[in-house]
DNA sequence: ATATTAGTTCTAGCATACAAGTATCCCAGT
DNA sequence: ACTGGGATACTTGTATGCTAGAACTAATAT
């Protein structure tokens, strides 16, 4: 583990982050804890590499270790934490190899989605939905509303999968994309604005789908995703990511 | 739950399946149990819909409920079992919607793989590996060696991803493919032989890669996978699958 | 014969206690 | 100053007991 001083921003203790959180005793405790921790990790409020203590979390949430541990097991299973026997439980670092794999998976699935969307038999209504999302996105960018932008970005991609007839494919594959989301969150925290460029890319994709031109839609998507290897080396070189990433998926 | 009498074949109790299994006390008990149960479920020796008792399994393996439960939680997380509060833990039925989604994911990722494989700069050695796998596959088919056939099929697909430079993509995505594997196992148990056809398809893919013709490789792969919707309706209609499948992913 | 309801028996959820391994710190020796 | 080793204080892994709720059974009322 690196020192807190080495990190770009101050490391918040889990205790600070959970302060004031109360659980609903009538709902399943394990899943409440799971949701809380997953959100904290994906939004990088819990830092990659940070150590988590089952006991400490249990105390902060006024519960016993068992549900905390069971939530940790689920988080370990989706590789958001790594439980190291007799040592501790750590928030996983962002794995470059996992990130690269996730980008490949994302690209391939979205290629299928835009291809399918371009073949939608009666596309008018579906395309109207896409147009609506894009115009709302433009508003969100103008108002610098990050949260809305993210939601709309998500809605855009989901709509493509719906049009292709594979509504569930994206929600299934999202489980492989946590590291991509963490990188995005870090970029966004550092006010790295890519909104306008993304909007233009999305517009090009919609135009191709409107023209029912699957090949052009695929090309537009490839352009949108960009060159993976260059993106990877930029990620590895990025000083702001230092301490957050690991080449392989250790810790 | 349906009656055991309704099922195509006799339902083996978990106790029968675990008879004689002893765990290594020096290794992590939870993961040993996880591996055992995962294999039993994917190979359909534990039947879709079958109820599992934490207590019973713990007794059969001479351990306590805790590691069994933790293994169950991991299995629940990858949707091989479903833990129903205060009711029981059940082997999930094969979900038609999950199966369909898995086929889409599989196709899209393999499209990327064969496309990438066709672009391998110095392909001679890699293609020699593919040729070797195919000739071994032919032997396995001649000898009706199911286990070897499966292993080689897996090796073939893995080699494609290696050639495309995305070695980990397949192992990552396999977590979405359990239902596909279960369907295969059921078909194989019923001696539904598709080996020769698969071998010919694989040969066509290799030929296209050898010619560095990415488009033709994609076409060969699409032909290999076939028409998804027809496959789905065949699956739903198949009497041998009755009781094993569910339209949505309930239970 | 059927519907309903009370009672019993099962389940998973959670709390707690203990066991076993790991990392750290302190101190002795070089 | 630095290295080596051992005690100590942590960590997760496992065992067990208890509770609340679901499901099944069987008896009762209609």
């Amino acid at each position: 583990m690196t020192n807190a001083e080495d990190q770009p921003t101050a490391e918040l203790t889990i205790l600070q982050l959970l302060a004031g959180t109360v659980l609903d005793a009538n709902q399943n405790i394990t899943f409440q804890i799971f949701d809380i921790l997953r959100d904290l990790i994906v939004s990088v409020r819990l830092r990659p590499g940070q150590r988590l203590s089952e006991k400490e979390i249990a105390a902060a949430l006024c519960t016993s270790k068992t549900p905390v541990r069971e939530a940790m097991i689920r988080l370990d299973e989706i590789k958001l934490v790594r439980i190291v026997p007799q040592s501790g439980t750590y928030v996983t670092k962002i794995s470059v190899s996992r990130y690269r794999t996730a980008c490949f998976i994302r690209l391939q699935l979205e290629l299928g989605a835009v291809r399918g969307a371009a073949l939608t038999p009666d596309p008018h209504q579906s395309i109207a939905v896409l147009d609506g999302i894009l115009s709302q996105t433009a508003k969100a960018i103008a108002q610098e509303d990050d949260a809305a932008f993210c939601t709309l970005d998500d809605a855009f991609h989901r709509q493509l999968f719906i049009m292709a007839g594979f509504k569930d494919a994206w929600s299934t594959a999202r489980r492989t994309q946590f590291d991509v989301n963490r990188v995005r969150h870090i970029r966004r925290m550092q006010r790295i604005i890519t909104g306008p460029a993304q909007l233009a890319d999305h517009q090009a994709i919609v135009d191709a789908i409107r023209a029912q031109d699957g090949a052009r839609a695929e090309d537009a998507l490839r352009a949108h995703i960009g060159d993976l290897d260059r993106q990877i080396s930029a990620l590895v070189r990025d000083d702001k990511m230092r301490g957050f990433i690991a080449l392989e998926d250790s810790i």
Side-chain angles (χ1 to χ4, degrees), chain A:
Chain A
M1 291 302 90
T2 56
N3 235 328
E5 319 303 331
D6 296 341
Q7 305 293 348
T9 62
E11 179 161 339
L12 289 175
T13 66
I14 186 77
L15 209 138
Q16 292 174 284
L17 287 165
L18 294 180
T21 305
V22 287
L23 302 177
D24 179 354
N26 292 82
Q27 304 287 324
N28 183 307
I29 305 285
T30 295
F31 281 109
Q32 292 180 66
I33 298 172
F34 174 82
D35 287 341
I36 290 170
L37 292 178
R38 186 202 51 211
D39 291 344
L40 287 175
I41 293 171
V42 174
S43 65
V44 203
R45 300 209 289 289
L46 282 172
R47 302 158 56 80
Q50 183 168 353
R51 182 174 183 172
L52 302 176
S53 161
E54 293 179 0
K55 197 168 142 191
E56 196 177 316
I57 293 172
L61 295 174
C62 300
T63 181
S64 77
K65 285 192 331 176
T66 304
V68 176
R69 176 165 176 76
E70 298 190 351
M72 291 295 199
I73 289 172
R74 299 191 110 95
L75 292 167
D76 180 281
E77 194 61 35
I78 59 179
K79 304 218 191 314
L80 284 180
V81 308
R82 170 101 179 268
I83 301 174
V84 182
Q86 273 71 41
S87 163
T89 301
Y90 305 89
V91 177
T92 53
K93 295 203 174 186
I94 295 169
S95 153
V96 173
S97 76
R98 253 204 321 262
Y99 179 84
R100 186 169 171 279
T101 299
C103 288
F104 171 76
I105 292 173
R106 183 192 188 83
L107 170 62
Q108 288 305 127
L109 296 187
E110 296 212 340
L111 284 174
V114 298
R115 195 174 203 276
L119 297 176
T120 302
D122 181 30
H124 295 79
Q125 194 179 344
S126 305
I127 289 182
V129 174
L130 288 177
D131 285 332
I133 292 170
L134 289 190
S135 68
Q136 283 187 273
T137 304
K139 274 186 214 156
I141 291 174
Q143 298 169 4
E144 296 186 10
D145 184 345
D146 272 3
F149 180 82
C150 289
T151 307
L152 290 164
D153 182 65
D154 213 64
F156 179 78
H157 291 284
R158 196 167 53 240
Q159 176 66 11
L160 293 179
F161 281 93
I162 290 172
M163 289 174 70
F166 288 95
K167 184 163 63 73
D168 298 336
W170 185 235
S171 52
T172 300
R174 276 178 75 131
R175 302 164 66 86
T176 68
Q177 303 282 323
F178 290 120
D179 278 357
V180 175
N181 291 336
R182 287 202 283 179
V183 169
R184 284 187 180 177
H185 263 282
I186 294 172
R187 295 237 165 91
R188 201 165 297 123
M189 288 188 315
Q190 295 164 2
R191 318 299 306 161
I192 297 174
I193 305 298
T194 59
Q198 276 188 53
L199 180 57
D201 288 350
H202 285 184
Q203 188 67 60
I205 293 169
V206 173
D207 290 341
I209 291 172
R210 200 191 317 274
Q212 304 200 327
D213 187 340
R216 199 174 94 205
E218 286 193 13
D219 290 340
L221 180 64
R222 284 186 197 278
H224 177 42
I225 303 282
D227 182 43
L228 179 54
D229 286 323
R230 197 164 60 193
Q231 208 181 119
I232 297 291
S233 55
L235 179 69
V236 175
R237 264 195 293 272
D238 190 341
D239 276 345
K240 305 301 160 98
M241 298 288 173
R242 199 165 305 276
F244 288 170
I245 67 176
L247 289 183
E248 296 302 320
D249 55 353
S250 60
I251 295 190

